[in-house]
Amino acid sequence: MASIERLHRTAPLDLAKLEEDVVGGLPAIRAAPSGPMPDYVEHEEGVTRVGALTAEAVVRDYEAAAREIEAMGAELISAAKKCEAMTAEVHNAIAFMRDTAASYREEAKKIFKRIEECAIFTEHVRKTCETVKLKMIEGKV
């Protein structure tokens, strides 16, 4: 309790600041939707003025929410189209990668064949040199 008393003595209460803080924390009041009532509702015969106004306010709020939901649907369609375009690009990229991999395999096959041909040729040259060397040693050349 001594600390509360000390707080009151050291910090005077600023009512304007307190009111500003309280009012600033309240949600903003927005205007009620106006315009014609949606065509899917009609007033009942004999409804009171208060009941009719309340029903109109509620149905307009629901209609505004329904329109926002439909707008989200349009955004979702737009996002889906972007995804479809991206998917098409991915398929093109995958096809390009497969073609590139196939090209690498063909190039590897050519190089492989060339190296083996060179190895066979080198083996023939080595054997020919060996044969000529033996003939020279034997004096048959």
Side-chain angles (χ1 to χ4, degrees):
M1 189 151 138
S3 63
I4 293 174
E5 290 173 359
R6 207 173 326 120
L7 176 65
H8 285 291
R9 285 188 208 136
T10 59
L13 185 60
D14 184 357
L15 292 178
K17 174 78 171 119
L18 179 61
E19 182 180 5
E20 181 182 317
D21 290 345
V22 169
V23 171
L26 294 176
I29 297 174
R30 58 186 176 91
S34 61
M37 265 192 355
D39 59 358
Y40 54 86
V41 292
E42 282 184 25
H43 288 296
E44 293 286 325
E45 237 180 86
V47 69
T48 64
R49 176 99 172 119
V50 170
L53 291 174
T54 303
E56 281 184 30
V58 169
V59 81
R60 284 189 175 126
D61 272 348
Y62 272 82
E63 181 61 25
R67 286 186 181 152
E68 289 178 21
I69 291 168
E70 288 174 337
M72 287 186 339
E75 289 177 23
L76 189 58
I77 289 170
S78 173
K81 287 181 182 177
K82 289 178 184 176
C83 285
E84 288 171 357
M86 187 182 303
T87 300
E89 289 177 21
V90 166
H91 287 297
N92 290 339
I94 290 170
F96 176 75
M97 285 185 239
R98 285 184 180 147
D99 291 345
T100 302
S103 295
Y104 268 69
R105 287 184 178 105
E106 282 300 314
E107 188 66 23
K109 186 177 174 181
K110 288 177 189 175
I111 292 171
F112 179 87
K113 187 176 180 182
R114 179 74 191 256
I115 290 172
E116 286 198 344
E117 288 171 351
C118 288
I120 291 170
F121 179 74
T122 302
E123 184 62 21
H124 286 305
V125 168
R126 191 191 61 74
K127 283 182 182 179
T128 302
C129 290
E130 187 68 27
T131 304
V132 169
K133 180 179 168 186
L134 288 174
K135 285 183 181 181
M136 288 171 59
I137 291 174
E138 293 173 358
K140 295 183 178 178
V141 179

